[in-house]
């Protein structure tokens, strides 16, 4: 008989303990209620926004990014050609300087020859500068048009 009383008191203590200290069922119920209310009020708006962002990123990665890479590659080719041309000119000038150093011409003659070469070089550089400026202006115009088109496409996708 004393064991029955002890067991009853232990179960009473366990029941009191669970009611006072174990709040899991109450918290789970409140959490479910909050989530249900939140989803009903928001109407899955966040999911639609995230889906739109995902579509925009996919579109950008699929179409816009490759076009930008192509434009950069085209511009890289033009810059590379300009650098190669400048490099050839520098090598040519260095070769001429070496030849001039080898020859024992009078300083006045050598000075006059260098001056005429320098004037020719400057004229050539001016012509190249004008050509590069023209190419640059065309490229800027082309890029402005391309970015305007890309802005229109992004605006359409965002709408």
């Amino acid at each position: 008989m004393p064991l029955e009383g002890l067991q009853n008191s232990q179960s009473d203590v366990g029941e009191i303990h669970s009611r006072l200290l174990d709040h899991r069922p109450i918290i789970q119920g409140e959490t479910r209620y909050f989530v249900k209310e939140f989803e009903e009020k928001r109407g899955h708006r966040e999911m639609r926004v995230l889906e739109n962002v995902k579509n925009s990123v996919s579109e950008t990665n699929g179409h816009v990014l490759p076009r930008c890479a192509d434009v950069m590659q085209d511009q890289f080719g033009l810059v590379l050609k300009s650098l190669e041309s400048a490099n050839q000119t520098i090598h040519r000038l260095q070769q001429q300087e070496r030849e001039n150093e080898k020859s024992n011409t009078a300083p006045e003659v050598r000075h006059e020859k260098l001056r005429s070469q320098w004037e020719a070089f400057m004229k050539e550089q001016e012509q190249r500068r004008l050509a590069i400026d023209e190419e640059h202006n065309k490229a800027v115009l082309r890029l402005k048009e391309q970015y305007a088109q890309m802005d229109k496409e992004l605006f359409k996708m965002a709408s």
Side-chain angles (χ1 to χ4, degrees):
M1 295 257 185
L3 283 177
E4 276 183 30
L6 187 59
Q7 287 178 346
N8 283 341
S9 67
Q10 284 180 347
S11 66
D12 291 341
V13 168
E15 185 177 325
I16 291 171
H17 177 270
S18 71
R19 286 189 178 194
L20 288 177
L21 301 175
D22 188 12
H23 301 297
R24 282 179 280 171
I26 294 170
I27 291 173
Q28 288 172 350
E30 287 295 320
T31 304
R32 281 191 294 263
Y33 175 75
F34 176 77
V35 169
K36 179 182 170 191
E37 286 294 315
F38 185 77
E39 286 177 349
E40 287 176 3
K41 288 181 182 178
R42 300 295 293 224
H44 299 289
R45 191 173 13 185
E46 287 79 15
M47 292 300 289
R48 287 191 299 269
V49 169
L50 287 174
E51 187 67 29
N52 287 341
V53 169
K54 183 185 119 194
N55 291 338
S56 294
V57 168
S58 297
E59 179 70 22
T60 300
N61 285 340
H63 299 292
V64 176
L65 194 59
R67 273 192 266 157
C68 288
D70 290 342
V71 168
M72 284 188 341
Q73 188 65 30
D74 291 344
Q75 297 304 315
F76 178 74
L78 294 174
V79 170
L80 186 61
K81 287 179 186 176
S82 297
L83 288 174
E84 287 174 348
S85 175
N87 195 23
Q88 288 174 356
T89 303
I90 288 171
H91 284 298
R92 190 179 75 238
L93 287 173
Q94 286 176 337
Q95 183 64 31
Q96 289 174 355
E97 183 64 28
R98 284 188 208 113
E99 289 172 3
N100 287 338
E101 287 175 359
K102 289 179 183 177
S103 66
N104 292 329
T105 58
E108 297 85 22
V109 174
R110 198 169 80 200
H111 181 69
E112 189 59 38
K113 186 177 178 184
L114 286 175
R115 185 184 315 205
S116 66
Q117 289 175 351
W118 179 254
E119 289 173 1
F121 172 74
M122 291 305 291
K123 286 179 184 177
E124 181 182 355
Q125 291 304 310
E126 180 64 21
Q127 290 172 351
R128 286 184 180 178
R129 185 191 63 81
L130 292 173
I132 288 172
D133 285 349
E134 183 178 312
E135 287 178 15
H136 173 71
N137 290 335
K138 287 179 184 178
V140 166
L141 182 61
R142 191 171 59 244
L143 286 173
K144 282 182 182 179
E145 292 171 357
Q146 181 180 356
Y147 281 115
Q149 181 65 29
M150 290 165 64
D151 283 342
K152 288 178 186 177
E153 291 176 11
L154 285 173
F155 181 74
K156 288 179 184 177
M157 288 190 311
S159 298

